[in-house]
Amino acid sequence: MPLFSKSHRNPAETVKILKDNMAILEKQDKKTDKASEEVSKSLQAIKEILCGTNDKEPPMETVAQLAQELYNSGLLVTLIANLQLIDFEGKKDVTQIFNNILRRQIGTRSPTVEYISAHPHILFMLLKGYEAPQIALRCGIMLRECIRHEPLAKIILFSNQFRDFFKYVELSTFDIASDAFATFKDLLTRHKVLVADFLEQNYDTIFEDYEKLLQSENYVTKRQSLKLLGELILDRHNFAIMTKYISKPENLKLMMNLLRDKSPNIQFEAFHVFKVFVASPHKTQPIVEILLKNQPKLIEFLSSFQKDRTDDEQFTDEKNYLIKQIRDLKKTAP
């Protein structure tokens, strides 16, 4: 049996036909309908080569040949750059092909990770996809698959484009903003040592932008950002970040304001950041002074804070512990 029947072209032919028809789609002239049909067929064929059919594993040498053709032809770049020109099912196929080829390993090597590392504009095209509603969610899926690989996460984190996330998580389209936040969170929590290094090197700019999210008019953004902040500063890898964050009086003031937010959920997330300031055994003098200045008010406030959370024993214990810590604070001798 030949490896490729008449109806199944070999990878090189399939990639060439797809590339040629993508070029026709790009021109947006009268031939686009036929080209669109050919693009769909070719994407299906590539998916079959990669994923196999009828529970049959695809032959490894065929997959290797296809991967090489995708790299050499620049087709991966073409598909992402023109994703908006491909029909709905085709967009899904591109996502599946991209993620599948990205996971491919040869021993300990990940050839597609190496390819994207050498062509980082692929990552930035995916990130910019958040600006185009018709492809935003597809780009998000591919971007999160990239972030699973530390070398690719590092490229995004240490790029100027990373700060675009602060814009994307505030987008007015709810599902796109939520997707952007899921990617943002993944980027800041998946590779702990890398992220700690990144945050230490870029503390001032990142937390300046982050503060705006904590004061966002968008309830969902505000709540998610607070929750993520709590997760970041309580992670042992980020000890240096936590120490710096809780030494700043403006951060404590912001949390005290958020404790009084009109939303109980925002209050609750703010509580989990506020408790780190109070529980720290190494408070800076400005922090101690703010807590002492507000000592009676804070004790009274916390005593009645979210009393309806009666079934949450940990919360009650933490609240009582904070009240004791604040009550025991004393002015240091001049």
Side-chain angles (χ1 to χ4, degrees), residues 132-280:
Q134 69 275 34
I135 61 167
L137 302 183
R138 290 279 138 210
C139 288
I141 293 168
M142 290 185 271
L143 203 49
R144 284 190 292 281
E145 192 63 41
C146 291
I147 288 164
R148 290 163 64 101
H149 303 275
E150 192 166 333
L152 303 184
K154 185 174 184 177
I155 290 169
I156 302 170
L157 279 170
F158 285 91
S159 70
N160 292 332
Q161 289 91 329
F162 172 76
R163 292 181 75 183
D164 290 341
F165 274 107
F166 292 99
K167 177 175 66 180
Y168 298 148
V169 301
E170 290 268 47
L171 287 168
S172 56
T173 310
F174 175 77
D175 55 348
I176 298 176
S178 294
D179 194 276
F181 198 92
T183 309
F184 179 63
K185 180 180 177 181
D186 213 12
L187 202 47
L188 288 175
T189 54
R190 186 174 281 277
H191 306 285
K192 307 286 191 185
V193 176
L194 170 68
V195 168
D197 183 40
F198 164 70
L199 290 174
E200 282 179 52
Q201 286 188 44
N202 297 277
Y203 180 91
D204 291 334
T205 50
I206 296 304
F207 280 92
E208 189 181 315
D209 287 337
Y210 207 100
E211 190 177 328
K212 290 168 192 158
L213 295 185
L214 297 173
Q215 298 178 78
S216 171
E217 293 297 314
N218 182 320
Y219 162 76
V220 177
T221 303
K222 194 173 180 179
R223 185 184 176 189
Q224 286 178 323
S225 303
L226 258 174
K227 197 172 185 125
L228 176 56
L229 176 63
E231 199 176 317
L232 287 173
I233 65 171
L234 287 168
D235 190 304
R236 64 185 178 81
H237 295 88
N238 296 331
F239 182 77
I241 303 302
M242 180 268 284
T243 305
K244 193 163 186 177
Y245 188 83
I246 65 166
S247 71
K248 310 268 185 196
E250 59 273 23
N251 295 335
L252 174 58
K253 286 175 189 170
L254 176 57
M255 286 309 133
M256 284 165 67
N257 284 333
L258 290 171
L259 280 172
R260 297 198 306 270
D261 192 271
K262 60 179 184 291
S263 157
N265 290 323
I266 299 279
Q267 294 172 7
F268 186 66
E269 298 303 343
F271 173 83
H272 287 298
V273 179
F274 172 74
K275 72 185 181 189
V276 186
F277 286 90
V278 179
S280 169

Side-chain angles (χ1 to χ4, degrees), residues 4 86 110 265:
F4 303 105
I86 301 171
S110 298
N265 290 323

Side-chain angles (χ1 to χ4, degrees), residues 30 57 73 103 111 115 135 157 163 170 253 307 311:
K30 290 174 187 172
E57 283 288 311
S73 65
R103 291 181 198 129
Y115 176 77
I135 61 167
L157 279 170
R163 292 181 75 183
E170 290 268 47
K253 286 175 189 170
K307 274 195 157 169
D311 56 341

Side-chain angles (χ1 to χ4, degrees), residues 105-121:
Q105 284 191 293
I106 302 172
T108 56
R109 282 184 55 228
S110 298
T112 310
V113 173
E114 292 169 12
Y115 176 77
I116 296 173
S117 295
H119 302 82
H121 62 292

